[in-house]
Amino acid sequence: QVHLMEAGGGSVQAGGSLRLSCAASSIDYSIVSMGWFRQAPGKDREGVAIIYVRGTTTEYLDSVKGRFTISQDNANNSIYLQMTSLKPEDTAMYYCAAARLVVPGTMLSSSLYSVWGQGTQVTVSS
């Protein structure tokens, strides 16, 4: 069973930047997509960005387009989330996840993802 481990969270002021990383413990050829999700207190978990592991196709939540960039390093079984121009509303626990299913148009839905990391906290102060 592959495990995911996030790192890179922290506290920054609005306008600042953070880079999250997620490392998979092993190669799992059944995984087709990996992504970042976030959950703020009292809110539902939402998809932030995803990337197809065999290619460069990405999808983003509208509110982070132009500010966040997802990337991958297949040699190191890792994905990253570069976050810039951070806003207080970006404050949340951020989770890395992996999916073994592809449903076009819905890849930002957390229900497709079967492997989850423990999460890393991102706090943006105004």
Side-chain angles (χ1 to χ4, degrees):
Q1 173 73 10
V2 62
H3 299 284
L4 303 178
M5 180 66 72
E6 304 96 336
S11 297
V12 295
Q13 291 191 327
S17 300
L18 282 173
R19 185 176 188 246
L20 306 182
S21 63
C22 171
S25 60
S26 61
I27 297 174
D28 185 333
Y29 292 104
S30 66
I31 291 173
V32 294
S33 171
M34 293 185 70
W36 291 96
F37 296 76
R38 67 186 182 188
Q39 188 166 21
K43 294 189 176 181
D44 293 334
R45 188 169 296 189
E46 63 179 356
V48 176
I50 67 98
I51 187 165
Y52 288 84
V53 297
R54 296 179 189 86
T56 58
T57 301
T58 58
E59 295 183 24
Y60 292 92
L61 181 68
D62 284 348
S63 63
V64 307
K65 287 180 180 177
R67 299 189 298 121
F68 292 9
T69 303
I70 188 170
S71 61
Q72 63 184 340
D73 180 351
N74 289 336
N76 291 306
N77 299 328
S78 298
I79 65 167
Y80 307 93
L81 186 67
Q82 180 68 48
M83 304 185 292
T84 63
S85 302
L86 283 161
K87 304 176 181 180
E89 51 264 44
D90 295 318
T91 295
M93 184 71 79
Y94 282 70
Y95 298 90
C96 175
R100 297 186 173 96
L101 298 173
V102 173
V103 181
T106 68
M107 291 307 293
L108 285 173
S109 171
S110 61
S111 63
L112 293 178
Y113 292 77
S114 56
V115 184
W116 291 86
Q118 295 297 311
T120 185
Q121 178 67 37
V122 171
T123 302
V124 185
S125 58
S126 58

